């Protein structure tokens, strides 16, 4: 088993990332080792629960561990305060107290929502996360961010609350749709681009199909990306400096998600376009060699992430990029690469350049 102790300084607490094919069946053991107390409260959804809930429940039953089980409807639209409130009610019904533990079983939506409920119930009770999407295994499960959406903004109500355990079992990804795999790979490519040229090279040698078929290599890269994210988060838990590098591709990516009302692109798909845009900007500003931008482009295509902007209205994208509409396109923060492993943050990208890059992305 590959384990990683995440460094959490504020407030000091422990969080351990465990990754191994088949680890799900060991859940009962892992909970006991981590000295987590019941009653446990499992939160999943109708897509994941019926497939993997039984293994989780059996592992607890084998150890005589008491639990209750609850499902939230599937989808980002349900990551909201109403569902959090419903969870609080069921947590009270189940008699959860300060020592109880919430178990989030699902993708990033379940991780964020169940984590948020745990962070706020009785001013915070422990939770663990069993991420079941690639994106959640390499990204959403690490860093302690938990949140729900508000009709007017995504992730606007939230907190920092680290899971005490993160249990990543690559085998559960066998039922994941291909688009979701590719979306997860966008975050893997992002981490490689900002922090590991050697991982970037490994990815260049393989393809999505290789990792879909070879769970040993998949386990290795999931663990490697988890290490990258945890070291960046450990160095800057509250996103005051280097943690911002994790937003490579996200400035434009978030704008695209917002303009398309989170319906057209999966998160990683939007981030992939954002990384291509950021690479074009860095080349135009003379920071990045065109050959490196080409490698990023090729790698994204290799992992089925060569998506177009199609018919999206350019002005709407620009509007979504502006944090403060009165200030126009100034001060929009971009993470740009000077090279692989060498990111920088700048808010000095000329607005004409942003426009021309969006036009180029539209014409491709
Ligand atoms: N907290 C963080 O640091 C952080 C970071 C990145 C993203 N996020 C959040 O994560 C969410 C996106 O997460 P996601 O991409 O995992 O999406 P998701 O949780 O919506 O899962 C995607 C789809 O796959 C299904 N699914 C999950 N596991 C499956 C499996 N093993 N087999 C088959 N289907 C499965 C889900 O039910 C869902 O329909 C967003 O809400 C985003 O804001 C949070
Ligand atoms: Zn992301």
């Amino acid at each position: 088993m590959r384990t990683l102790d995440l460094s959490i300084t504020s407030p000091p607490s422990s969080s351990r990332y465990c990754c191994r094919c088949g680890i799900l069946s060991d859940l009962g053991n892992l909970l006991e080792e981590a000295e987590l107390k019941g009653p446990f409260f499992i939160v999943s959804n109708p897509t994941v629960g019926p497939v993997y809930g039984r293994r989780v429940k059996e592992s607890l039953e084998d150890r005589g561990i008491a639990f209750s089980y609850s499902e939230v409807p599937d989808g980002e639209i349900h990551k909201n305060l109403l569902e959090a409130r419903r969870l609080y009610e069921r947590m009270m019904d189940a008699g959860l107290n300060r020592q109880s533990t919430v178990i989030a079983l699902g993708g990033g939506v379940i991780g964020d929502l169940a984590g948020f409920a745990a962070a706020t119930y009785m001013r915070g009770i422990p939770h663990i996360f069993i991420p079941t999407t690639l994106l959640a295994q390499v990204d959403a499960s690490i860093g302690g961010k938990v949140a729900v959406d508000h009709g007017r903004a995504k992730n606007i109500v939230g907190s920092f609350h680290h899971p005490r355990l993160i249990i990543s079992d690559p085998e559960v990804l066998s039922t994941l749709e291909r688009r979701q795999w590719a979306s997860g790979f966008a975050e893997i490519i992002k981490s490689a681009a900002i922090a590991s040229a050697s991982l970037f090279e490994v990815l260049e040698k393989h393809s999505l199909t290789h990792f879909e078929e070879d769970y040993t290599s998949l386990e290795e890269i999931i663990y490697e990306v988890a290490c990258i994210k945890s070291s960046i988060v450990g160095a800057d838990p509250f996103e005051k400096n280097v943690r911002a590098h994790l937003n490579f591709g996200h400035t434009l990516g978030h704008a695209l998600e917002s303009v398309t009302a989170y319906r057209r692109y999966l998160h990683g798909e939007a981030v992939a376009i954002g990384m291509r845009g950021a690479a074009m900007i860095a080349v135009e500003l003379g920071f990045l060699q065109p050959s490196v931008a080409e490698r990023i482009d090729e790698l994204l295509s290799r992992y089925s992430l060569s998506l177009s902007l199609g018919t999206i209205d350019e002005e709407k994208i620009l509007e979504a990029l502006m944090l403060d509409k009165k200030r126009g396109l100034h001060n929009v923060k971009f993470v740009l690469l000077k090279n692989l492993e060498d990111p920088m943050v700048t808010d000095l990208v000329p607005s004409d350049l942003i426009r021309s890059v969006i036009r180029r992305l539209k014409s491709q």
Side-chain angles (χ1 to χ4, degrees), residues 263-323:
R263 291 206 188 96
R264 174 156 164 182
Y265 299 110
L266 296 179
H267 176 66
E269 293 173 341
V271 169
I273 300 175
M275 286 192 276
R276 290 173 63 216
M280 284 177 189
I281 291 173
V283 169
E284 288 301 322
L285 291 175
F287 293 131
L288 183 69
Q289 296 281 339
S291 58
V292 181
E294 270 162 39
R295 282 175 69 191
I296 293 172
D297 239 20
E298 276 163 23
L299 194 57
L300 291 170
S301 310
R302 191 172 257 281
Y303 287 84
S304 305
L305 288 162
S306 201
L307 295 127
S308 98
L309 274 187
T311 52
I312 307 176
D313 184 348
E314 178 187 320
E315 286 309 314
K316 292 228 166 80
I317 302 173
L318 293 169
E319 220 171 88
L321 277 171
M322 295 176 214
L323 293 175

Side-chain angles (χ1 to χ4, degrees), residues 233-246:
V233 167
D236 177 21
F238 297 110
E239 205 164 321
K240 298 213 165 88
N241 44 69
V242 289
R243 188 166 179 168
H245 295 160
L246 291 164

Side-chain angles (χ1 to χ4, degrees), residues 135 139 187 190 246 250 254 267 271:
L135 185 129
D139 189 0
E187 297 286 4
K190 173 203 78 180
L246 291 164
H250 282 61
H254 283 150
H267 176 66
V271 169

Side-chain angles (χ1 to χ4, degrees), residues 45 47-48 52 74 76 79 107-110 112 132-133 135-136 139-140 142 145 154-155 172 175-176 180 229:
N45 72 25
T47 309
V48 177
Y52 299 107
D74 193 359
E76 180 75 35
K79 196 179 98 175
V109 166
I110 289 293
D112 274 7
T132 61
T133 61
L135 185 129
D139 189 0
I142 304 152
K145 285 185 183 174
K154 199 169 170 318
N155 292 329
V172 304
T175 48
L176 205 60
Q180 298 284 353
K229 180 155 184 195

